[in-house]
Amino acid sequence: MNRREPGRVSIIAVVREAIAAARSQPVASAVTMLMVAGMVISVMLTTGRTVGAEQAVLGSIDDAGTRMIEVRAESGAGLTSSVLGRIADIEGIEWAGAFSSATDATNALVPDGTRVPVRHAYGAGFDQLGIRDLPGPNLSGIAGYASAEALVLLGLTDSSGALTTVDTGAEYSVVGRIRTPDFLREFEPLVLVPREDLTGMETVSVLVIIAERPDLVAPLTSAVTSVLAVDDPSEVTVHTSEALARLRSLVQAQLSTFSRGLVLVMLLVTGLLVAVILYGLVMMRRKDFGRRRALGATRALIVSLLLTQTAVLALFGVTVGLGASLLCVLIMGDPLPGTTFTVALAVLAIATSLFAALVPALVASKREPIRELRVP
């Protein structure tokens, strides 16, 4: 049989007692929940909307290619596919791909039709280009993928057919459609022939590198440039989005500063109001706390009861506040601030309420039983 030591109370019992205490004071409990809910709604409809707008702005800047490094090499530069092996050891690169120079091709059934540029794509991870499943080894180097724009120009609306290059007469089978990523938009109309079986001697015309973060563009540019190993560096040009990356950092810093300041002010105001309400509750229940102390309740138990009661009320307030504010944001058509911000706000609201309740809880735990139970 399980025996508890004197003065030990289970967590479940503390929670039940805290809920019962909250229900016995409906007005004060409702005011506390409304205060927390009001704080959450205020933050979500001000800072939350700002964060949502910030993420939308940063997303549009990112779409413009804040993480891209593009190396262009003329035919005499001597840049080969072996560069992919050298840059593979550089940290901070999310994706890298090399491309040959463009060769004009037409629909094999319409030799005089519209010409589109065809490029070989070297490397791995072609899913970044919208190519999920590569064909078998027998089709390596002869299977092409075309963008929607290229398919329309070629008259291959069903995403299948054959191409013939104008200069050499080489044939490629079009086996699928690709989604053109933003960093290859300038290649449109885009037709790519992926190749993974490289010798390292394939001539590269364009090398595209995507950094993991915008702030890595500058150091990665220096690192990549140092391992190009070209014959004539004067025929190599490097284009980066460093200016866009700096703009992104500036926009993020300005918006984040405003958001943090507003959240701190609202948390401070709400915390003070919750502290005042709970202090009033403690004064109203001081005889109840005195009786508990006289019956053997420890100071730690009194503090636990008040903090648990506050946590329960704050949890309800946060739930109501988040539900109401998210509904308002959706109705207004504004971008949502995201899961990270929403969860962080919920945690901060509960933590602020608990911190505000700490002083009243300590005051309640120090009430002297004799003084509180004394009959006037």
Side-chain angles (χ1 to χ4, degrees), residues 25-111:
Q25 300 168 315
V27 176
S29 297
V31 171
T32 303
M33 286 190 293
L34 287 175
M35 288 298 306
V36 177
M39 175 191 67
V40 172
I41 293 173
S42 300
V43 173
M44 284 293 291
L45 295 185
T46 52
T47 304
R49 293 173 64 191
T50 302
V51 170
E54 171 191 336
Q55 292 173 349
V57 171
L58 294 180
S60 64
I61 295 177
D62 286 341
D63 288 342
T66 56
R67 300 182 291 132
M68 186 179 73
I69 303 169
E70 183 182 82
V71 180
R72 289 186 173 269
E74 300 297 332
S75 57
L79 183 61
T80 64
S81 59
S82 61
V83 69
L84 292 173
R86 292 191 292 272
I87 66 175
D89 297 328
I90 300 177
E91 294 184 0
I93 295 178
E94 180 179 300
W95 181 85
F99 304 90
S100 68
S101 57
T103 302
D104 286 339
T106 63
N107 187 328
L109 299 178
V110 189

Side-chain angles (χ1 to χ4, degrees), residues 81-85 87 95-100 120-127 129 134 140 193-199 202 204 207:
S81 59
S82 61
V83 69
L84 292 173
I87 66 175
W95 181 85
F99 304 90
S100 68
H120 285 279
Y122 307 128
F126 292 115
D127 56 329
L129 307 180
L134 287 177
S140 179
V193 180
R195 286 190 55 186
E196 289 186 318
D197 53 334
L198 304 179
T199 64
E202 292 81 6
V204 172
L207 175 65

Side-chain angles (χ1 to χ4, degrees), residues 125-134 145 178-179 192 194:
F126 292 115
D127 56 329
Q128 185 78 13
L129 307 180
I131 302 173
R132 300 298 178 187
D133 298 310
L134 287 177
Y145 294 79
I178 62 174
R179 172 191 52 80
L192 296 178

Side-chain angles (χ1 to χ4, degrees), residues 58-290:
L58 294 180
S60 64
I61 295 177
D62 286 341
D63 288 342
T66 56
R67 300 182 291 132
M68 186 179 73
I69 303 169
E70 183 182 82
V71 180
R72 289 186 173 269
E74 300 297 332
S75 57
L79 183 61
T80 64
S81 59
S82 61
V83 69
L84 292 173
R86 292 191 292 272
I87 66 175
D89 297 328
I90 300 177
E91 294 184 0
I93 295 178
E94 180 179 300
W95 181 85
F99 304 90
S100 68
S101 57
T103 302
D104 286 339
T106 63
N107 187 328
L109 299 178
V110 189
D112 296 328
T114 304
R115 298 183 179 186
V116 296
V118 177
R119 297 175 183 269
H120 285 279
Y122 307 128
F126 292 115
D127 56 329
Q128 185 78 13
L129 307 180
I131 302 173
R132 300 298 178 187
D133 298 310
L134 287 177
N138 294 335
L139 291 178
S140 179
I142 64 172
Y145 294 79
S147 66
E149 181 178 340
L151 289 170
V152 170
L153 293 175
L154 291 167
L156 302 176
T157 54
D158 56 353
S159 305
S160 64
L163 304 178
T164 303
T165 59
V166 175
D167 53 355
T168 64
E171 289 195 0
Y172 300 103
S173 299
V174 177
V175 297
R177 179 193 300 255
I178 62 174
R179 172 191 52 80
T180 305
D182 293 328
F183 54 83
L184 293 182
R185 194 71 63 184
E186 61 178 297
F187 286 178
E188 285 281 21
L190 181 65
V191 179
L192 296 178
V193 180
R195 286 190 55 186
E196 289 186 318
D197 53 334
L198 304 179
T199 64
M201 300 303 295
E202 292 81 6
T203 301
V204 172
S205 176
V206 180
L207 175 65
V208 176
I209 295 167
I210 306 299
E212 291 179 352
R213 303 190 311 272
D215 59 295
L216 294 177
V217 170
L220 280 178
T221 301
S222 300
V224 169
T225 304
S226 67
V227 298
L228 290 179
V230 294
D231 299 330
D232 188 355
S234 65
E235 296 194 13
V236 175
T237 56
V238 180
H239 305 277
T240 70
S241 55
E242 189 174 353
L244 278 175
R246 287 198 298 268
L247 174 62
R248 183 190 192 280
S249 299
L250 179 62
V251 171
Q252 185 177 24
Q254 298 248 342
L255 293 176
S256 296
T257 300
F258 171 76
S259 301
R260 285 195 297 267
L262 192 57
V263 170
L264 288 176
V265 170
M266 290 186 175
L267 288 176
L268 178 62
V269 172
T270 303
L272 289 175
L273 291 176
V274 170
V276 170
I277 293 173
L278 291 177
Y279 187 79
L281 289 178
V282 168
M283 292 298 101
M284 291 170 57
R285 297 177 58 196
R286 61 184 184 273
K287 291 190 179 297
D288 176 42
F289 293 129

